[in-house]
Amino acid sequence: MKVRDVMSATPFYCRPDTNLGSAAELLWNLDFGMLIIVNDDQKVIGVVTDRDMCIALGTQNKLPGTITVGAIRSGKVHICHADDDIHVALATMAREKVRRLPVVNQQGQLEGILSMDDMVAHSQRQGAGRAPDLSFEDVVETLKKVYAPRAPLATQGRAVSA
């Protein structure tokens, strides 16, 4: 099974100059937790999650209209390609602890998005016959790795107080 068989072909995206107020409204209206950031050539240059936005607003003491998604975007974007095997994408999600991957073409332009929700919806139960291309077990094992705790960089080896 290929990524193209599972991905959503209509991803939600914005430009780097989109402010957090507009981005939050998009996420609210679309009932989604992440926006892909693209440049004028539709190339993926970052992502921003609802969590990124909350932390930025909670720590910068600025109004949402004055902070852009480009200023808080993730530095490294983990991607996949439509022709990738679905298990390659699962391995990337597990290794990088992400639940969504932008799908790009060979030029780095946005083609879609692959989410764990897509994986769950397309997974199948292992039966007595031929194993499914994407099994429940594949998805659950990936989710276990994605959700496995990792110590925040800022608190490794130190006590944290509220």
Side-chain angles (χ1 to χ4, degrees), residues 39-144:
N39 65 16
D40 291 336
D41 297 325
Q42 288 294 105
K43 290 186 178 180
V44 175
I45 59 170
V47 297
V48 64
T49 66
D50 48 5
R51 181 181 185 279
D52 297 330
M53 294 166 53
C54 286
I55 290 172
L57 290 170
T59 59
Q60 294 189 19
N61 197 27
K62 295 180 182 177
L63 294 172
T66 64
I67 304 171
T68 65
V69 296
I72 66 163
R73 71 182 177 167
S74 311
K76 180 156 173 71
V77 182
H78 307 288
I79 59 158
C80 63
H81 297 91
D83 289 328
D84 287 348
D85 182 85
I86 201 69
H87 293 94
V88 170
L90 281 170
T92 300
M93 290 173 153
R95 182 182 63 251
E96 302 302 336
K97 296 187 173 295
V98 296
R99 295 175 302 175
R100 304 170 196 98
L101 293 172
V103 181
V104 300
N105 64 19
Q106 295 304 320
Q107 292 75 39
Q109 296 170 315
L110 185 61
E111 285 191 341
I113 188 164
L114 180 67
S115 71
M116 286 305 301
D117 292 351
D118 297 324
M119 301 284 203
V120 168
H122 287 85
S123 64
Q124 298 175 353
R125 182 177 315 278
Q126 293 245 21
R130 190 176 147 265
D133 289 335
L134 180 60
S135 70
F136 291 164
E137 291 80 5
D138 294 334
V139 174
V140 169
E141 287 305 313
T142 300
L143 282 171
K144 283 178 165 180

Side-chain angles (χ1 to χ4, degrees), residues 29-40:
N29 290 335
L30 298 169
D31 191 26
F32 208 65
M34 182 185 87
L35 288 171
I36 300 167
I37 305 169
V38 299
N39 65 16
D40 291 336

